[in-house]
Amino acid sequence: MNNLKSYCDQITEKTVMIFCSDCKSPLEVMDSKNLIIHNVLGGIITETNAYNMNWLRRCIEEEAVSQLVFVGHLNCQVLKYLLDDHSGITLWKEARSYVEALAEEIVGLNFGLYDRGWYLMHRHVALQVKKLSGIPYIREKIEKDKLIVTGIVIDDREPNLLEETDLDLFENLKFKLN
């Protein structure tokens, strides 16, 4: 399983895949029969976004979704914008703070630019999976073995390479989520 299409073709249970709204890869898997695709700006989960939280709850409860897969992608222009924007727009404050802390974490690491991007995105995915898993109704489903929450990172340029995120490794590093 080395690309998004083959990964999705192997999904046998009803699954929500959460993509960044900047990612173009969902077009490749729109026809997957067990897949429901959801786009979130920058791939950043916020419990204060009632639309996203209600949508996820409906999918889990009414569509019998048994798996959530959070998808990170390289070369995310939304995350780059958050790092570069200094406008002070209040709406972006929480997201910008999160992305800045995430980027600062990797500055001291001796990675090449390509590896740094993979590390940052795996870290982002792990933290978002952790955040999703902590939402009370999602946590309750996980504890009852009714729901699995996991994450993957794709290189959404050709050939759309895919790596599963080692949640234990990337969740437990020094960076704290809010």
Side-chain angles (χ1 to χ4, degrees):
M1 174 168 31
N2 62 358
N3 66 49
L4 183 62
K5 181 79 171 124
S6 62
Y7 180 86
C8 291
D9 287 345
Q10 294 179 21
I11 293 174
T12 59
E13 298 183 22
K14 195 69 129 181
T15 300
V16 169
M17 291 188 87
I18 301 170
F19 287 88
C20 170
S21 54
D22 180 49
C23 184
K24 307 298 183 239
S25 296
L27 297 173
E28 296 177 22
V29 295
M30 293 291 279
D31 61 345
S32 297
K33 60 182 174 183
N34 293 312
L35 198 57
I36 300 171
I37 294 174
H38 188 58
N39 292 313
V40 177
L41 191 62
I44 299 174
I45 302 297
T46 58
E47 288 182 77
T48 57
N49 185 325
Y51 171 78
N52 286 331
M53 293 301 104
N54 289 333
W55 188 89
L56 282 173
R57 181 186 291 261
R58 187 191 65 74
C59 284
I60 292 166
E61 293 176 1
E62 296 175 19
E63 301 289 332
V65 164
S66 60
Q67 180 171 268
L68 300 177
V69 178
F70 190 90
V71 183
H73 70 111
L74 294 187
N75 199 28
C76 179
Q77 296 305 302
V78 174
L79 296 183
K80 183 181 180 326
Y81 173 80
L82 287 171
L83 284 172
D84 295 343
D85 178 50
H86 301 288
S87 67
I89 298 171
T90 311
L91 176 67
W92 288 103
K93 186 176 180 181
E94 180 184 349
R96 186 179 304 113
S97 172
Y98 166 79
V99 173
E100 286 172 352
L102 192 59
E104 280 178 27
E105 181 180 283
I106 67 163
V107 167
L109 299 174
N110 193 19
F111 287 144
L113 186 60
Y114 184 77
D115 292 332
R116 206 174 343 189
W118 278 101
Y119 174 90
L120 182 133
M121 196 49 65
H122 276 289
R123 183 72 169 124
H124 171 58
V125 166
L127 292 171
Q128 295 306 303
V129 166
K130 184 176 185 176
K131 194 172 202 178
L132 270 172
S133 300
I135 296 170
Y137 68 90
I138 292 176
R139 184 178 58 240
E140 180 183 312
K141 297 288 185 187
I142 292 169
E143 290 169 354
K144 292 180 178 177
D145 291 328
K146 303 259 187 216
L147 185 66
I148 295 169
V149 181
T150 192
I152 61 174
V153 174
I154 59 173
D155 184 344
D156 51 352
R157 304 163 293 190
E158 290 298 322
N160 215 352
L161 297 174
L162 178 144
E163 289 182 1
E164 293 187 44
T165 298
D166 181 341
L167 298 175
D168 290 334
L169 172 65
F170 283 96
E171 279 181 5
N172 296 314
L173 297 173
K174 65 183 177 182
F175 179 71
K176 293 185 176 154
L177 183 62
N178 296 339

